[in-house]
Amino acid sequence: MTGTNSRFTHVCLGTLIYVYFRFLHFQKSLQEEILALEFRKNDSEGSGKIAENDCADLLIAYAGFQPKKRAKMLKRVRKAFDDEESPGVGLTDYLNFYQVLYSINEIDTALQFYHIAGAPIEKSTLKHVAKTVAHVELSDHLVEVVRLSLWNDISRMSHDRSSLCLILMGMANSVTRSSSA
């Protein structure tokens, strides 16, 4: 009787694990589809790229910033990138950044180690941690758009891991809530 019981338990457990991973795959696909739709809504020319200002607006849309602070963040991005000559942000870069947001707790832990070691949180640090933890490649251009959107200045970015992670965690929690609603 125990052999049959353990076989039954093994089959049921295997089925539950299979269903769980299928659901995770479905959830990830759905989130990517929603993000792609938001991206395409801002890609009025159908070029596969959106302006840096539009990208920054999408990145901070769910973060819950006050309108004044949000306007100030977007102004920094608008000032840095000329609409005519800027390369824009592609869908892959946009989706990669959201993959970073989904891994924010692990990224916070990794950045904490950098902070404890006294190493500054620079653009290259963020790129390295994103690649190691979230398994995505962030372009220099996207990291610059994020930097301009979220940090007041470069020196603050270098030393303020906690504010970076709090902002990113707020964005991640908002994205998770909005996509599961």
Coordinates of all heavy atoms in Angstrom, one line a residue, residues 92-173:
T92 N 13.4 46.0 -26.4 CA 14.2 45.0 -25.7 C 14.8 45.7 -24.4 O 14.8 45.1 -23.3 CB 15.3 44.5 -26.5 OG1 14.7 43.8 -27.7 CG2 16.1 43.4 -25.8
D93 N 15.4 46.9 -24.6 CA 15.9 47.6 -23.4 C 14.8 47.9 -22.4 O 15.1 47.8 -21.2 CB 16.6 48.9 -23.9 CG 17.9 48.8 -24.5 OD1 18.6 47.7 -24.2 OD2 18.3 49.7 -25.2
Y94 N 13.7 48.3 -22.9 CA 12.6 48.6 -22.0 C 12.1 47.4 -21.2 O 12.0 47.5 -20.0 CB 11.4 49.2 -22.8 CG 10.2 49.6 -22.1 CD1 10.1 50.7 -21.3 CD2 9.0 48.8 -22.2 CE1 9.0 51.0 -20.6 CE2 7.9 49.2 -21.6 CZ 7.8 50.3 -20.8 OH 6.7 50.6 -20.1
L95 N 12.0 46.3 -21.9 CA 11.6 45.0 -21.2 C 12.7 44.6 -20.2 O 12.4 44.0 -19.1 CB 11.3 43.9 -22.2 CG 10.0 44.2 -23.0 CD1 9.9 43.1 -24.1 CD2 8.8 44.3 -22.2
N96 N 14.0 44.7 -20.6 CA 15.1 44.3 -19.8 C 15.1 45.1 -18.4 O 15.3 44.5 -17.4 CB 16.4 44.6 -20.5 CG 16.7 43.5 -21.5 OD1 16.0 42.5 -21.5 ND2 17.7 43.7 -22.3
F97 N 14.7 46.4 -18.5 CA 14.7 47.2 -17.3 C 13.6 46.7 -16.3 O 13.8 46.6 -15.1 CB 14.5 48.7 -17.5 CG 14.6 49.5 -16.2 CD1 15.8 49.6 -15.6 CD2 13.5 50.0 -15.7 CE1 15.9 50.3 -14.4 CE2 13.6 50.7 -14.5 CZ 14.8 50.9 -13.9
Y98 N 12.5 46.3 -16.9 CA 11.4 45.7 -16.1 C 11.8 44.4 -15.5 O 11.4 44.0 -14.4 CB 10.1 45.7 -16.8 CG 9.4 47.0 -16.7 CD1 9.5 48.0 -17.7 CD2 8.6 47.4 -15.6 CE1 8.9 49.2 -17.6 CE2 8.0 48.6 -15.5 CZ 8.2 49.5 -16.5 OH 7.6 50.7 -16.4
Q99 N 12.6 43.6 -16.2 CA 13.1 42.4 -15.6 C 14.0 42.7 -14.4 O 14.0 42.0 -13.4 CB 13.9 41.6 -16.7 CG 14.3 40.2 -16.2 CD 13.1 39.4 -15.9 OE1 12.1 39.4 -16.7 NE2 13.1 38.6 -14.8
V100 N 14.7 43.8 -14.4 CA 15.5 44.3 -13.3 C 14.6 44.6 -12.1 O 14.8 44.2 -11.0 CB 16.4 45.5 -13.7 CG1 16.9 46.2 -12.4 CG2 17.5 45.1 -14.6
L101 N 13.5 45.3 -12.4 CA 12.5 45.6 -11.4 C 11.9 44.3 -10.7 O 11.7 44.3 -9.5 CB 11.4 46.5 -11.9 CG 11.8 47.9 -12.3 CD1 10.5 48.6 -12.8 CD2 12.4 48.6 -11.1
Y102 N 11.7 43.3 -11.5 CA 11.1 42.1 -11.0 C 12.1 41.4 -10.1 O 11.7 40.6 -9.2 CB 10.7 41.1 -12.1 CG 9.6 41.7 -12.9 CD1 9.6 41.5 -14.3 CD2 8.5 42.4 -12.4 CE1 8.6 42.0 -15.1 CE2 7.5 42.9 -13.2 CZ 7.5 42.7 -14.6 OH 6.5 43.2 -15.3
S103 N 13.4 41.7 -10.2 CA 14.4 41.0 -9.4 C 15.0 42.0 -8.4 O 16.1 41.8 -7.9 CB 15.6 40.6 -10.3 OG 15.1 39.8 -11.3
I104 N 14.2 43.0 -8.0 CA 14.7 44.1 -7.2 C 15.2 43.7 -5.8 O 16.2 44.2 -5.3 CB 13.7 45.3 -7.1 CG1 14.4 46.5 -6.5 CG2 12.5 44.9 -6.3 CD1 15.5 47.0 -7.3
N105 N 14.6 42.7 -5.2 CA 15.0 42.3 -3.8 C 16.4 41.7 -3.9 O 17.3 42.0 -3.0 CB 14.0 41.3 -3.2 CG 12.7 42.0 -2.9 OD1 12.7 43.2 -2.5 ND2 11.6 41.3 -3.0
E106 N 16.7 40.9 -4.9 CA 18.0 40.3 -5.0 C 19.0 41.4 -5.4 O 20.2 41.4 -5.0 CB 18.0 39.2 -6.1 CG 17.2 38.0 -5.7 CD 15.7 38.1 -6.0 OE1 15.3 39.2 -6.6 OE2 14.9 37.2 -5.7
I107 N 18.6 42.3 -6.3 CA 19.5 43.4 -6.7 C 19.8 44.3 -5.5 O 21.0 44.7 -5.3 CB 18.9 44.2 -7.8 CG1 19.0 43.3 -9.1 CG2 19.6 45.5 -8.0 CD1 18.4 43.9 -10.3
D108 N 18.9 44.5 -4.6 CA 19.1 45.3 -3.4 C 20.2 44.6 -2.5 O 21.1 45.3 -2.0 CB 17.8 45.5 -2.6 CG 18.0 46.3 -1.3 OD1 18.8 47.3 -1.4 OD2 17.4 46.0 -0.3
T109 N 20.1 43.3 -2.4 CA 21.1 42.6 -1.6 C 22.4 42.7 -2.2 O 23.4 43.0 -1.5 CB 20.7 41.1 -1.5 OG1 19.4 41.0 -0.9 CG2 21.7 40.3 -0.7
A110 N 22.5 42.6 -3.6 CA 23.8 42.7 -4.3 C 24.4 44.1 -4.1 O 25.6 44.3 -3.8 CB 23.7 42.3 -5.7
L111 N 23.6 45.1 -4.3 CA 24.0 46.5 -4.1 C 24.5 46.8 -2.7 O 25.4 47.6 -2.4 CB 23.0 47.5 -4.6 CG 22.7 47.5 -6.1 CD1 21.6 48.5 -6.4 CD2 23.9 47.9 -6.9
Q112 N 23.8 46.1 -1.7 CA 24.2 46.3 -0.3 C 25.6 45.8 -0.1 O 26.4 46.4 0.6 CB 23.2 45.6 0.6 CG 23.4 45.9 2.0 CD 22.3 45.3 2.9 OE1 21.5 44.5 2.4 NE2 22.3 45.6 4.1
F113 N 26.0 44.7 -0.8 CA 27.4 44.3 -0.6 C 28.4 45.3 -1.2 O 29.4 45.5 -0.6 CB 27.6 42.9 -1.3 CG 27.0 41.8 -0.6 CD1 25.9 41.0 -1.1 CD2 27.5 41.4 0.7 CE1 25.4 40.0 -0.4 CE2 26.9 40.4 1.4 CZ 25.9 39.7 0.9
Y114 N 28.0 45.9 -2.3 CA 28.9 47.0 -2.9 C 29.0 48.1 -1.9 O 30.1 48.7 -1.6 CB 28.3 47.5 -4.2 CG 28.6 46.7 -5.4 CD1 27.8 45.7 -5.8 CD2 29.8 47.0 -6.2 CE1 28.2 44.9 -7.0 CE2 30.1 46.3 -7.3 CZ 29.3 45.3 -7.7 OH 29.6 44.6 -8.8
H115 N 27.9 48.5 -1.3 CA 27.8 49.6 -0.3 C 28.7 49.3 0.9 O 29.4 50.1 1.4 CB 26.4 49.9 0.1 CG 26.2 51.0 1.0 ND1 26.4 52.3 0.5 CD2 25.8 51.1 2.3 CE1 26.2 53.2 1.5 NE2 25.8 52.4 2.6
I116 N 28.6 48.1 1.4 CA 29.3 47.7 2.6 C 30.8 47.7 2.3 O 31.6 48.1 3.1 CB 28.9 46.3 3.1 CG1 27.5 46.3 3.7 CG2 29.9 45.7 4.1 CD1 26.9 45.0 4.0
A117 N 31.2 47.3 1.1 CA 32.6 47.3 0.7 C 33.1 48.8 0.4 O 34.3 49.0 0.2 CB 32.8 46.5 -0.6
G118 N 32.2 49.7 0.4 CA 32.6 51.1 0.2 C 32.7 51.5 -1.3 O 33.2 52.5 -1.6
A119 N 32.2 50.6 -2.1 CA 32.3 50.8 -3.6 C 31.1 51.7 -4.0 O 30.0 51.5 -3.5 CB 32.2 49.5 -4.4
P120 N 31.3 52.7 -4.8 CA 30.2 53.6 -5.3 C 29.2 52.8 -6.2 O 29.6 51.8 -6.9 CB 30.9 54.7 -6.0 CG 32.2 54.1 -6.5 CD 32.6 53.1 -5.5
I121 N 28.0 53.2 -6.2 CA 27.0 52.6 -7.1 C 27.0 53.4 -8.3 O 26.4 54.5 -8.4 CB 25.6 52.6 -6.4 CG1 25.6 52.0 -5.1 CG2 24.6 51.9 -7.4 CD1 26.0 50.6 -5.0
E122 N 27.7 53.0 -9.3 CA 27.9 53.7 -10.6 C 27.1 53.0 -11.7 O 26.5 51.9 -11.4 CB 29.4 53.7 -11.0 CG 30.2 54.4 -10.0 CD 31.7 54.3 -10.3 OE1 32.1 53.3 -10.9 OE2 32.4 55.2 -9.9
K123 N 27.0 53.6 -12.8 CA 26.3 53.0 -13.9 C 26.8 51.6 -14.2 O 26.0 50.7 -14.5 CB 26.3 53.9 -15.2 CG 25.6 55.2 -15.0 CD 25.5 56.0 -16.3 CE 26.7 56.7 -16.6 NZ 26.6 57.6 -17.8
S124 N 28.1 51.4 -14.2 CA 28.7 50.1 -14.5 C 28.3 49.1 -13.5 O 28.1 47.9 -13.8 CB 30.2 50.2 -14.7 OG 30.8 50.7 -13.5
T125 N 28.2 49.6 -12.2 CA 27.8 48.7 -11.1 C 26.4 48.2 -11.4 O 26.1 47.0 -11.2 CB 27.9 49.4 -9.8 OG1 29.1 50.0 -9.6 CG2 27.6 48.5 -8.6
L126 N 25.5 49.1 -11.7 CA 24.1 48.8 -11.9 C 24.0 47.8 -13.1 O 23.2 46.8 -13.0 CB 23.3 50.0 -12.2 CG 21.8 49.8 -12.3 CD1 21.2 49.1 -11.1 CD2 21.1 51.1 -12.6
K127 N 24.8 48.0 -14.2 CA 24.8 47.1 -15.3 C 25.2 45.7 -14.9 O 24.7 44.7 -15.3 CB 25.6 47.7 -16.4 CG 25.0 48.8 -17.2 CD 25.9 49.3 -18.3 CE 26.1 48.3 -19.3 NZ 26.8 48.7 -20.5
H128 N 26.3 45.7 -14.2 CA 26.9 44.4 -13.8 C 25.9 43.6 -12.9 O 25.7 42.4 -13.1 CB 28.2 44.6 -13.0 CG 28.8 43.3 -12.5 ND1 29.4 42.4 -13.3 CD2 28.9 42.9 -11.2 CE1 29.8 41.4 -12.6 NE2 29.5 41.6 -11.3
V129 N 25.3 44.3 -11.9 CA 24.4 43.6 -11.0 C 23.1 43.2 -11.8 O 22.6 42.1 -11.6 CB 24.0 44.5 -9.8 CG1 22.8 44.0 -9.0 CG2 25.2 44.8 -8.9
A130 N 22.7 44.0 -12.7 CA 21.5 43.6 -13.5 C 21.8 42.3 -14.3 O 21.0 41.4 -14.4 CB 21.1 44.7 -14.5
K131 N 23.0 42.2 -14.9 CA 23.4 41.1 -15.7 C 23.6 39.8 -14.8 O 23.1 38.7 -15.2 CB 24.7 41.3 -16.5 CG 25.1 40.2 -17.4 CD 26.3 40.6 -18.2 CE 26.5 39.4 -19.2 NZ 27.5 39.8 -20.2
T132 N 24.2 40.0 -13.6 CA 24.4 38.9 -12.8 C 23.1 38.4 -12.1 O 22.9 37.2 -12.0 CB 25.4 39.3 -11.7 OG1 26.6 39.8 -12.3 CG2 25.8 38.1 -10.8
V133 N 22.3 39.3 -11.6 CA 21.1 38.9 -10.9 C 19.9 38.7 -11.7 O 19.2 37.6 -11.6 CB 20.8 39.9 -9.8 CG1 19.5 39.6 -9.0 CG2 22.0 40.0 -8.8
A134 N 19.6 39.6 -12.6 CA 18.4 39.5 -13.4 C 18.6 38.9 -14.8 O 17.7 38.6 -15.5 CB 17.8 40.9 -13.7
H135 N 19.9 38.6 -15.1 CA 20.3 37.9 -16.4 C 19.9 38.7 -17.6 O 19.4 38.1 -18.6 CB 19.7 36.5 -16.4 CG 20.0 35.7 -15.2 ND1 21.3 35.3 -14.9 CD2 19.2 35.3 -14.2 CE1 21.3 34.6 -13.7 NE2 20.0 34.6 -13.3
V136 N 20.0 40.1 -17.5 CA 19.7 40.9 -18.6 C 20.8 41.9 -18.8 O 21.5 42.3 -17.9 CB 18.3 41.7 -18.5 CG1 17.1 40.8 -18.5 CG2 18.3 42.6 -17.3
E137 N 20.9 42.3 -20.1 CA 22.0 43.3 -20.4 C 21.3 44.6 -20.5 O 20.4 44.8 -21.3 CB 22.5 42.9 -21.8 CG 23.8 43.6 -22.2 CD 25.0 42.9 -21.6 OE1 25.1 41.7 -21.4 OE2 25.9 43.7 -21.2
L138 N 21.7 45.6 -19.7 CA 21.2 47.0 -19.8 C 22.1 47.8 -20.7 O 23.4 47.8 -20.4 CB 21.1 47.6 -18.4 CG 20.1 47.0 -17.5 CD1 20.1 47.7 -16.1 CD2 18.7 46.9 -18.0
S139 N 21.6 48.5 -21.6 CA 22.4 49.3 -22.5 C 22.9 50.6 -21.7 O 22.2 51.0 -20.8 CB 21.7 49.8 -23.7 OG 20.7 50.7 -23.4
D140 N 24.0 51.1 -22.1 CA 24.5 52.4 -21.5 C 23.5 53.5 -21.6 O 23.3 54.3 -20.7 CB 25.8 52.8 -22.1 CG 27.0 51.9 -21.8 OD1 27.0 51.3 -20.7 OD2 27.9 51.8 -22.6
H141 N 22.9 53.5 -22.8 CA 21.9 54.6 -23.0 C 20.7 54.5 -22.1 O 20.2 55.5 -21.5 CB 21.4 54.5 -24.5 CG 20.5 55.6 -24.9 ND1 20.9 56.9 -24.9 CD2 19.2 55.6 -25.2 CE1 19.9 57.7 -25.3 NE2 18.8 56.9 -25.5
L142 N 20.2 53.3 -21.9 CA 19.0 53.1 -21.0 C 19.4 53.4 -19.5 O 18.7 54.1 -18.8 CB 18.5 51.6 -21.0 CG 17.3 51.4 -20.1 CD1 16.1 52.1 -20.5 CD2 17.0 49.9 -20.0
V143 N 20.6 53.0 -19.1 CA 21.1 53.3 -17.8 C 21.2 54.8 -17.6 O 20.8 55.4 -16.5 CB 22.4 52.6 -17.5 CG1 23.0 53.1 -16.1 CG2 22.2 51.1 -17.4
E144 N 21.6 55.5 -18.6 CA 21.7 57.0 -18.6 C 20.3 57.6 -18.4 O 20.0 58.5 -17.7 CB 22.4 57.6 -19.8 CG 22.5 59.0 -19.8 CD 23.4 59.6 -18.6 OE1 24.1 58.8 -17.9 OE2 23.3 60.8 -18.4
V145 N 19.3 57.1 -19.2 CA 17.9 57.6 -19.1 C 17.4 57.3 -17.6 O 16.8 58.2 -17.0 CB 17.0 56.9 -20.1 CG1 15.5 57.2 -19.9 CG2 17.4 57.3 -21.5
V146 N 17.7 56.1 -17.1 CA 17.2 55.8 -15.7 C 17.9 56.7 -14.7 O 17.3 57.3 -13.8 CB 17.5 54.3 -15.4 CG1 17.3 54.0 -13.9 CG2 16.6 53.4 -16.3
R147 N 19.2 56.9 -14.9 CA 20.0 57.8 -14.0 C 19.4 59.2 -14.0 O 19.1 59.8 -13.0 CB 21.4 57.9 -14.4 CG 22.3 58.7 -13.4 CD 23.7 59.0 -14.0 NE 23.7 59.9 -15.1 CZ 23.5 61.3 -15.0 NH1 23.4 61.8 -13.8 NH2 23.6 62.0 -16.1
L148 N 19.1 59.8 -15.2 CA 18.6 61.1 -15.3 C 17.2 61.2 -14.7 O 16.8 62.2 -14.1 CB 18.6 61.6 -16.7 CG 19.9 61.9 -17.3 CD1 19.8 62.1 -18.8 CD2 20.4 63.2 -16.7
S149 N 16.4 60.1 -14.8 CA 15.1 60.1 -14.3 C 15.0 60.0 -12.8 O 14.2 60.6 -12.1 CB 14.3 58.9 -14.8 OG 14.3 58.8 -16.2
L150 N 15.9 59.2 -12.2 CA 15.8 58.9 -10.8 C 16.7 59.6 -9.8 O 16.4 59.7 -8.6 CB 15.9 57.3 -10.6 CG 14.9 56.5 -11.4 CD1 15.2 55.0 -11.2 CD2 13.5 56.8 -11.1
W151 N 17.9 60.0 -10.3 CA 18.8 60.6 -9.4 C 19.0 62.1 -9.7 O 19.0 62.5 -10.8 CB 20.2 59.9 -9.5 CG 20.3 58.6 -9.0 CD1 20.2 58.2 -7.6 CD2 20.4 57.4 -9.7 NE1 20.3 56.9 -7.5 CE2 20.4 56.3 -8.7 CE3 20.4 57.0 -11.0 CZ2 20.5 55.0 -9.1 CZ3 20.5 55.7 -11.4 CH2 20.5 54.7 -10.4
N152 N 19.2 62.8 -8.6 CA 19.3 64.3 -8.8 C 20.7 64.6 -9.5 O 20.7 65.5 -10.3 CB 19.3 65.0 -7.4 CG 17.9 65.0 -6.9 OD1 16.9 64.9 -7.6 ND2 17.7 65.1 -5.6
D153 N 21.7 63.9 -9.1 CA 23.0 64.2 -9.7 C 23.9 62.9 -9.6 O 23.6 62.0 -8.8 CB 23.7 65.4 -9.2 CG 23.9 65.3 -7.7 OD1 24.0 64.1 -7.2 OD2 24.1 66.3 -7.0
I154 N 25.0 62.9 -10.3 CA 25.8 61.8 -10.4 C 26.4 61.4 -9.0 O 26.5 60.3 -8.6 CB 27.0 62.0 -11.4 CG1 26.4 62.1 -12.8 CG2 28.0 60.8 -11.3 CD1 27.3 62.4 -13.9
S155 N 26.8 62.5 -8.2 CA 27.5 62.2 -6.9 C 26.5 61.5 -6.0 O 26.9 60.6 -5.2 CB 28.0 63.5 -6.3 OG 27.0 64.4 -6.1
R156 N 25.3 61.9 -6.0 CA 24.3 61.3 -5.2 C 24.1 59.8 -5.6 O 23.9 59.0 -4.7 CB 22.9 62.0 -5.2 CG 21.9 61.4 -4.3 CD 20.7 62.4 -4.1 NE 19.7 61.6 -3.5 CZ 18.5 61.4 -3.9 NH1 18.1 62.0 -5.0 NH2 17.6 60.7 -3.2
M157 N 24.1 59.6 -6.9 CA 23.9 58.2 -7.3 C 25.1 57.3 -6.8 O 24.8 56.2 -6.4 CB 23.9 58.2 -8.9 CG 23.9 56.8 -9.4 SD 24.0 56.9 -11.2 CE 24.2 55.2 -11.6
S158 N 26.2 57.9 -6.8 CA 27.4 57.1 -6.4 C 27.3 56.6 -4.9 O 27.9 55.6 -4.6 CB 28.7 57.9 -6.6 OG 28.9 58.2 -7.9
H159 N 26.7 57.3 -4.1 CA 26.7 57.0 -2.7 C 25.4 56.6 -2.1 O 25.3 56.3 -0.9 CB 27.3 58.2 -1.9 CG 28.7 58.5 -2.4 ND1 29.8 57.7 -2.2 CD2 29.1 59.6 -3.1 CE1 30.8 58.3 -2.8 NE2 30.5 59.4 -3.4
D160 N 24.3 56.7 -2.8 CA 23.0 56.6 -2.2 C 22.3 55.3 -2.7 O 21.3 55.4 -3.4 CB 22.2 57.8 -2.4 CG 21.0 57.9 -1.5 OD1 20.8 57.0 -0.6 OD2 20.3 58.9 -1.5
R161 N 22.8 54.2 -2.3 CA 22.2 52.9 -2.6 C 20.7 52.8 -2.1 O 19.9 52.3 -2.8 CB 23.0 51.7 -2.1 CG 22.4 50.4 -2.4 CD 22.9 49.3 -1.4 NE 22.5 49.5 -0.1 CZ 21.4 49.1 0.5 NH1 20.4 48.6 -0.2 NH2 21.2 49.4 1.8
S162 N 20.5 53.2 -0.9 CA 19.2 53.1 -0.3 C 18.1 53.8 -1.1 O 17.0 53.3 -1.3 CB 19.2 53.5 1.2 OG 19.6 54.8 1.3
S163 N 18.4 55.1 -1.5 CA 17.3 55.8 -2.2 C 17.1 55.1 -3.6 O 16.0 55.1 -4.1 CB 17.7 57.3 -2.4 OG 18.7 57.5 -3.3
L164 N 18.2 54.7 -4.2 CA 18.0 54.0 -5.5 C 17.1 52.8 -5.3 O 16.1 52.6 -6.1 CB 19.4 53.5 -6.1 CG 19.3 52.5 -7.2 CD1 18.6 53.0 -8.4 CD2 20.7 52.0 -7.5
C165 N 17.4 51.9 -4.3 CA 16.6 50.7 -4.1 C 15.2 51.0 -3.7 O 14.3 50.3 -4.1 CB 17.3 49.8 -3.2 SG 18.8 49.1 -4.0
L166 N 15.0 52.1 -2.9 CA 13.7 52.4 -2.5 C 12.8 52.8 -3.7 O 11.7 52.5 -3.8 CB 13.7 53.5 -1.4 CG 14.1 53.1 0.0 CD1 14.2 54.3 0.9 CD2 13.1 52.1 0.5
I167 N 13.4 53.6 -4.6 CA 12.7 54.1 -5.8 C 12.4 52.9 -6.6 O 11.3 52.7 -7.1 CB 13.5 55.1 -6.5 CG1 13.6 56.5 -5.7 CG2 12.9 55.4 -7.9 CD1 14.5 57.5 -6.3
L168 N 13.4 52.0 -6.9 CA 13.2 50.9 -7.8 C 12.2 49.9 -7.1 O 11.4 49.3 -7.8 CB 14.5 50.2 -8.0 CG 15.5 51.0 -8.9 CD1 16.8 50.2 -9.1 CD2 14.9 51.3 -10.3
M169 N 12.3 49.7 -5.8 CA 11.3 48.8 -5.1 C 9.9 49.4 -5.3 O 8.9 48.6 -5.5 CB 11.7 48.6 -3.7 CG 12.8 47.7 -3.5 SD 13.1 47.6 -1.7 CE 14.5 46.4 -1.8
G170 N 9.7 50.7 -5.1 CA 8.4 51.3 -5.3 C 7.9 51.1 -6.7 O 6.7 50.8 -6.9
M171 N 8.8 51.3 -7.7 CA 8.4 51.0 -9.1 C 8.0 49.6 -9.3 O 7.0 49.2 -9.9 CB 9.5 51.4 -10.0 CG 9.8 52.9 -10.1 SD 11.3 53.3 -10.9 CE 10.9 52.9 -12.6
A172 N 8.8 48.7 -8.7 CA 8.6 47.2 -8.9 C 7.3 46.8 -8.2 O 6.5 46.1 -8.8 CB 9.7 46.4 -8.3
N173 N 7.0 47.3 -7.0 CA 5.8 47.0 -6.3 C 4.6 47.5 -7.1 O 3.5 46.9 -7.2 CB 5.8 47.5 -4.9 CG 6.7 46.8 -4.0 OD1 7.0 45.6 -4.3 ND2 7.2 47.4 -3.0

